[in-house]
Amino acid sequence: MTQTITLRRPDDFHLHLRDGAMLQAVLPETTRDFDRALIMPNLVPPVVTAAQAAAYHARIISALPAGSTFKPLMTLYLTEDTDPADLARAHAEGIAIAVKLYPAGATTNSHSGVHNFDKVRGALEKMAEIGMPLCTHGEVTDSDIDIFDREAVFIDRVLEPIRRATPGLRVVMEHVTTRNAVSYVRSADADLAATITTHHLIINRNHILAGGIKPHYYCLPVAKRETHRLALVEAATSGDARFFLGTDSAPHTDENKLLPCGCAGCFTATNTMSCLAEVFEREGALDKLEGFVALHGAAHYGLPTNSGTLTLVKSDTPVTFPDHIETGVGPVTVFNPGFPLHWRVQD
C-alpha cells in the first residue's frame, strides 16, 4: 500500500558545496529537495569577508540548474583577524546570515581557524550586539584529548566560557554527536540550538571500524557509541525546536577518501530525505519530521518558512539511488545507510 506525507519544503542548515567543478556537480543534489541551505565557508582560501561571501554567492547562483529558486544562505569564516565592522556590514546587507567558528585544525580546510579565542572577542561581542548567530564546529583539537571526547571537552573549555562572556550571543552547535551536547542544549536558554546530521542519526563508530575500516563513513566529528546515536535520534524526533537538520553533506572524491590519510565527510545530499523518513518512521515520529527539516531552523535564524511543499511517498519496493555521482574532479560516493529505503521524494 502506498503512503504519502506532505511537508513544507525543507532547509539544510549545514551544507558543503565546495567550488568549481565540484560545486557544479553536487549543487543539483541539494536543490532537488531543498529550498535553502546554509553554505559553509571553508574553501581554500576561506570565505572571510563580506566581499568574498558575495562573490561565492554569485558563483553558486550561476551554477544553479535552470529554473531553480534555491537560495544559498552564506556564512563568514571566523579568524583571529576578522573585522567586526565587516561582518556587521555583511549581516546588515544580507550578504551573510551567520559566522562559522572552526577551532584551528578541527576538520577539512580549518587551518585558518581560531587558536586564541581572546583574539575573536571583539567579533563575538559585535555578533551578540547585532543578533548574528555563531555556528560552531564543536571540537577541541588538543593532541592529548581523545577524538571521541573532543566534543564534550569543547563544551566545557570553549563554548560555555564564550557564552558566559558574551551575553545574548546566539549559538548553533553544528553536527552534534553526543548525549552530552543534547543535554547541554536542553539545559540552556533559547539562544542555543543544535543541528543534527543525517548520517549521525544512522551510524555509530562500529559502522566505521567493525569488520574493516569503512572510509565513506568517516566524518568529523567522528560518529560515537550507540548510546550517543540513540540520544541524537531521540532529540531529532522529539519535536524540540532547538534541534533541526544540518546535513553536513560533504563531498570528497573517492580518491581523496581512500588516501592513507583520507578526508572526513559523508555525502548525503542525494538521499537525505529518504533516510530521514525511515529514521522518523521507526520512531513513530513522522509527524515531527516537518518541524525538524522545515520549521525549527528557520525559526532559530529568524527566517520565514518556505512556502512550497514536498511530498514523500512510501512503497513496498525499495527506492534505488546511485552509489556515486560523477564530478569534473572524480566520482563522489553517495552515503549508504545500510538498510533499504522505502521512502522517496515525489517528482
Side-chain angles (χ1 to χ4, degrees):
M1 179 179 294
T2 300
Q3 181 180 351
T4 65
I5 55 172
T6 298
L7 15 142
R8 294 288 186 97
R9 290 277 296 182
D11 296 316
D12 182 351
F13 280 100
H14 187 141
L15 178 67
H16 296 272
L17 290 176
R18 314 304 186 202
D19 214 342
M22 184 67 81
L23 165 63
Q24 295 280 346
V26 303
L27 181 57
E29 302 300 296
T30 288
T31 62
R32 185 180 302 123
D33 296 339
F34 292 86
D35 260 16
R36 297 179 296 208
L38 191 69
I39 311 302
M40 294 298 102
N42 57 331
L43 304 182
V44 180
V47 179
V48 174
T49 67
Q52 291 168 335
Y56 187 27
H57 181 273
R59 296 197 298 277
I60 296 169
I61 294 298
S62 68
L64 286 174
S68 174
T69 59
F70 175 79
K71 294 171 284 295
L73 307 172
M74 309 309 292
T75 59
L76 299 179
Y77 187 121
L78 184 65
T79 76
E80 293 174 7
D81 298 317
T82 291
D83 179 0
D86 183 74
L87 68 82
R89 181 176 74 84
H91 183 257
E93 296 180 7
I95 296 170
I97 71 165
V99 174
K100 180 63 180 279
L101 166 63
Y102 291 102
T107 189
T108 303
N109 300 338
S110 62
H111 303 296
S112 299
V114 178
H115 292 272
N116 184 344
F117 287 90
D118 287 336
K119 292 185 177 180
V120 297
R121 189 167 304 282
L124 297 177
E125 290 172 351
K126 175 58 71 173
M127 291 167 60
E129 175 189 331
I130 64 179
M132 191 175 194
L134 176 71
C135 301
T136 65
H137 181 109
E139 294 185 287
V140 297
T141 57
D142 311 58
S143 60
D144 61 329
I145 303 298
D146 188 280
I147 192 169
F148 293 104
D149 298 329
R150 290 180 177 182
E151 183 172 279
V153 173
F154 177 86
I155 293 170
D156 293 337
R157 289 189 184 178
V158 179
L159 184 55
E160 179 61 16
I162 283 176
R163 295 183 66 241
R164 283 201 308 266
T166 323
L169 179 66
R170 296 180 64 77
V171 175
V172 179
M173 297 179 66
E174 296 194 315
H175 48 45
V176 293
T177 61
T178 60
R179 59 185 176 185
N180 311 68
V182 169
S183 296
Y184 182 67
V185 171
R186 284 180 163 157
S187 71
D189 55 29
D191 286 337
L192 182 64
T195 60
I196 303 176
T197 76
T198 308
H199 54 282
H200 285 121
L201 291 172
I202 293 172
I203 64 171
N204 61 36
R205 65 188 189 180
N206 277 4
H207 290 92
I208 307 172
L209 299 170
I213 294 174
K214 314 296 191 307
H216 292 295
Y217 287 154
Y218 171 58
C219 54
L220 287 173
V222 69
K224 308 297 194 298
R225 291 180 181 273
E226 176 68 358
T227 53
H228 294 293
R229 187 193 71 84
L230 292 174
L232 299 179
V233 170
E234 190 281 324
T237 61
S238 68
D240 189 327
R242 290 169 291 189
F243 300 98
F244 47 91
L245 177 65
T247 66
D248 193 20
S249 182
H252 293 285
T253 63
D254 289 351
E255 179 182 11
N256 286 331
K257 287 292 289 181
L258 301 176
L259 288 171
C261 184
C263 293
C266 297
F267 181 68
T268 58
T270 302
N271 57 4
T272 272
M273 291 307 300
S274 293
C275 290
L276 291 177
E278 296 286 346
V279 170
F280 276 67
E281 183 182 37
R282 289 180 181 185
E283 299 302 309
L286 280 173
D287 61 321
K288 302 296 197 302
L289 180 58
E290 182 179 54
F292 182 69
V293 302
L295 305 180
H296 302 166
H300 188 80
Y301 279 97
L303 299 171
T305 54
N306 295 315
S307 57
T309 60
L310 176 145
T311 297
L312 287 156
V313 179
K314 183 184 180 183
S315 61
D316 292 335
T317 304
V319 184
T320 58
F321 289 94
D323 60 9
H324 69 277
I325 64 168
E326 295 293 343
T327 78
V329 290
V332 171
T333 289
V334 175
F335 176 74
N336 178 358
F339 49 76
L341 297 173
H342 290 272
W343 289 93
R344 64 173 177 84
V345 176
Q346 188 175 66
D347 296 334

